[in-house]
């Protein structure tokens, strides 16, 4: 039996989630400087397995071997689907391939750390939900509040806060785009935290992985992009 505490968790536990989430985001974008985008997409399609492994260490959960095999099969299908997608503009496509065909050891290391932090984040969130009587709105508020402090401190220490403020002053349309993105992100997080609370990190990761395929499928329908025969398969 899990002991559920009626009071909320200590603030530092929200801080752990915020830090892990920030580091996951940083490693994800930093890795693109050293690896090709297709490699990152394939890595994202297999991150269900790191999430399951992290669940074993964070929450003591165990999964049958067939579930690991099913996750590998799903990852292979997603990777095959994404690898068969091409935009219609062959000139832009060739330029992208020219600039995204290098994968280095440093990039792979950054990618591994991204998968580790990403897997830990969702599992630790589920751990908090299981042991404390809190709603996903509480989780969303405190995690984002602490993340704002962490990222703001990072900008101050790097000396780039003033540069960011000047950029916003010079490009007023950026504020509109940032606000619209924030609205969409906030609505998305309502579903993200709710899904983790109700169904756990593995189901959440499966949804996020399959989402990539549906996103490209919709893009093909609306913009007439090309899909190869094995991608359709």
């Amino acid at each position: 039996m899990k002991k559920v505490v009626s009071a909320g968790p200590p603030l530092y536990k929200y801080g752990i989630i915020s830090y892990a989430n920030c580091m996951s985001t940083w490693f994800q974008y930093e890795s693109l400087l050293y690896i090709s985008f297709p490699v990152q997409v394939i890595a994202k399609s297999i991150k269900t397995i790191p999430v399951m492994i992290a669940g074993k260490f964070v929450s003591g959960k165990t999964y049958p071997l067939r579930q690991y095999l099913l996750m590998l099969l799903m990852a292979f299908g997603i990777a095959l689907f994404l690898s068969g997608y091409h935009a219609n503009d062959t000139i832009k496509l060739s330029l992208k391939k020219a600039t995204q065909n290098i994968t280095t050891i440093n990039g792979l290391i950054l990618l591994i750390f991204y998968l580790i932090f990403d897997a830990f984040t969702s599992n630790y969130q589920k751990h908090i939900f299981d042991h404390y009587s809190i709603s996903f709105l509480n989780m969303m508020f405190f995690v984002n509040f602490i993340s704002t402090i962490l990222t703001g401190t990072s900008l101050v220490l790097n000396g780039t806060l003033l540069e960011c403020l000047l950029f916003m002053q010079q490009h007023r349309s950026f504020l509109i785009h940032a606000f619209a993105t924030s609205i969409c992100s906030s609505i998305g997080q309502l579903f993200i935290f709710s899904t983790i609370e109700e169904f756990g990190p593995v189901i959440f990761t499966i949804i996020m992985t399959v989402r990539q395929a549906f996103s490209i499928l919709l893009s093909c329908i609306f913009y007439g992009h090309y899909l190869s025969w094995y991608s359709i398969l």
Side-chain angles (χ1 to χ4, degrees), residues 125-181:
Q125 285 173 340
K126 181 60 176 174
H127 174 77
I128 297 298
F129 281 129
D130 288 343
H131 289 81
Y132 295 92
S133 180
I134 60 170
S135 70
F136 65 88
L137 291 173
N138 294 126
M139 177 74 74
M140 182 176 170
F141 173 78
F142 283 107
V143 168
N144 282 286
F145 178 74
I146 298 174
S147 296
T148 301
I149 295 175
L150 291 175
T151 52
T153 303
S154 176
L155 288 174
V156 172
L157 294 177
N158 289 331
T160 54
L161 179 61
L162 182 61
E163 182 181 340
C164 292
L165 294 175
L166 289 174
F167 179 85
M168 287 191 293
Q169 185 179 8
Q170 293 172 1
H171 305 277
R172 298 297 176 87
S173 60
F174 170 77
L175 286 174
I176 300 174
H177 292 298
F179 182 74
T181 303

Side-chain angles (χ1 to χ4, degrees), residues 30-83:
E30 189 72 12
S31 66
L32 283 175
L33 297 174
Y34 305 96
I35 65 172
S36 62
F37 181 71
V39 169
Q40 189 186 82
V41 169
I42 292 173
K44 284 183 177 182
S45 70
I46 64 169
K47 71 178 183 178
T48 311
I49 296 174
V51 167
M52 293 168 70
I53 295 173
K56 182 177 179 61
F57 290 99
V58 175
S59 304
K61 293 185 177 181
T62 57
Y63 303 93
L65 178 61
R66 62 181 179 83
Q67 196 159 353
Y68 285 99
L69 294 175
L70 284 171
M71 293 305 103
L72 278 174
L73 184 62
M74 185 189 74
F76 176 74
I78 296 293
L80 198 65
F81 179 82
L82 295 175
S83 64

Side-chain angles (χ1 to χ4, degrees), residues 27 31 105 107-118:
F27 279 117
S31 66
I105 297 297
L108 293 176
I109 293 173
L110 290 169
L111 199 59
I112 289 171
F113 276 104
Y114 154 66
L115 292 172
I116 291 172
F117 276 103
D118 186 75

